[in-house]
Amino acid sequence: EMVAAKPTQPRKRAGAAHAKIAPGDLPARLEAIAEHEKPPASLKDLQRALQSCRACPLWRDATQAVPGEGAEEPLLALVGEQPGDQEDLAGHPFVGPAGKVLDRALAEAGINRGELFVTNAVKHFKHEPRGKRRLHMRPNAGEVEICRWWLAHELTLVKPRLIVALGATALQSLSTYKGTLTKAREQTLKTREGATLRATVHPSYLLRLPDEAAKEAEFARFVADLKDSKQLAERIARAA
């Protein structure tokens, strides 16, 4: 019944009244961020400018761009894939089901989310309509690469001690690593800009596991990854 139902109308996009570029005027390429060539001077400047980004088509069906948020100069910055349905509506990262899994894992790892910076590799929600639902679609390589302009400037402004890629898309955006996520979880890597990087699964992966025993085991491993990342970040901070 959901598949047969007509798609719901797109929600009104935040910031549409301030758009300087007419729909269809720009191809999906990095040069489309021409009005943002000058790096933002602060997170507030970046968050404001992000709402007018038209560098790829994803803005058309999203409610709004969802910037990162949290502490500046934190021990950890967590980078996910993209906003989900609830994040798109709220304008804040990791507030939906995956965010609840993340919050529970952070609590078990002894990490205060208020002391982190949390963001995504892609800032608009990519989806397709199925009745009244909007189903997640993974961003393609071009969309990830275009949005890297924003992510790189976010992390430059925030200055975390350690960056944690949550899932393969974030790892692809942050680094030139070509191996599997499974192997990446066992290593300490570097971002393209030379910052220290660790990788683990995206919390939405845990939601998709059908077997409860496997879900419990993978959740415990996710918590262990977060603990290890915190300890490494603390060592980096002491050595600075």
Side-chain angles (χ1 to χ4, degrees):
E1 290 177 358
M2 289 173 58
V3 172
K6 292 182 178 180
T8 52
Q9 290 297 315
R11 294 161 172 82
K12 184 177 180 180
R13 289 185 289 273
H18 304 290
K20 298 178 182 179
I21 303 169
D25 285 353
L26 291 174
R29 62 177 190 243
L30 188 59
E31 289 83 355
I33 311 181
E35 66 175 304
H36 307 302
E37 284 180 355
K38 184 178 180 180
S42 69
L43 278 178
K44 286 186 178 180
D45 287 345
L46 185 149
Q47 291 162 354
R48 183 168 50 251
L50 181 59
Q51 297 303 332
S52 65
C53 182
R54 303 293 183 263
C56 81
L58 295 188
W59 68 272
R60 299 177 188 276
D61 297 319
T63 305
Q64 59 195 313
V66 181
E69 60 184 31
E72 294 188 42
E73 299 190 22
L75 277 177
L76 299 174
L78 308 184
V79 181
E81 180 187 88
Q82 66 167 332
D85 182 77
Q86 293 186 33
E87 289 80 7
D88 171 75
L89 297 175
H92 301 287
F94 285 96
V95 296
K100 290 179 173 59
V101 173
L102 177 62
D103 287 343
R104 185 162 65 93
L106 289 171
E108 292 204 17
I111 300 171
N112 182 349
R113 175 163 168 170
E115 297 175 354
L116 307 177
F117 185 81
V118 183
T119 190
N120 284 294
V122 173
K123 308 305 185 188
H124 286 101
F125 177 35
K126 184 176 182 179
H127 60 276
E128 59 181 355
R130 283 293 183 272
K132 294 183 178 180
R133 299 179 63 195
R134 300 187 299 170
L135 299 186
H136 165 277
M137 294 179 66
R138 177 174 291 184
N140 62 41
E143 292 156 350
V144 172
E145 190 64 25
I146 287 169
C147 217
R148 224 187 77 77
W149 192 95
W150 297 105
L151 177 61
H153 283 300
E154 273 185 331
L155 296 174
T156 296
L157 290 166
V158 171
K159 299 180 177 66
R161 297 293 185 178
L162 176 69
I163 300 167
V164 181
L166 302 177
T169 299
L171 183 59
Q172 169 193 347
S173 174
L174 289 163
S175 74
T176 58
Y177 179 78
K178 300 301 182 184
T180 65
L181 180 62
T182 299
K183 290 293 185 183
R185 293 176 78 174
E186 302 169 355
Q187 304 177 50
T188 298
L189 305 169
K190 292 290 183 181
T191 68
R192 299 191 206 182
E193 291 73 31
T196 307
L197 174 68
R198 295 295 299 270
T200 185
V201 296
H202 193 284
S204 63
Y205 163 73
L206 304 174
L207 291 171
R208 296 193 298 269
L209 293 173
D211 180 80
E212 286 302 317
K215 186 177 294 187
E216 185 176 332
E218 284 300 318
F219 180 79
R221 189 180 174 199
F222 181 51
V223 171
D225 284 346
L226 293 174
K227 284 182 178 179
D228 289 346
S229 296
K230 179 187 178 184
Q231 291 170 0
L232 176 56
E234 289 171 339
R235 292 197 297 271
I236 293 171
R238 287 194 297 268

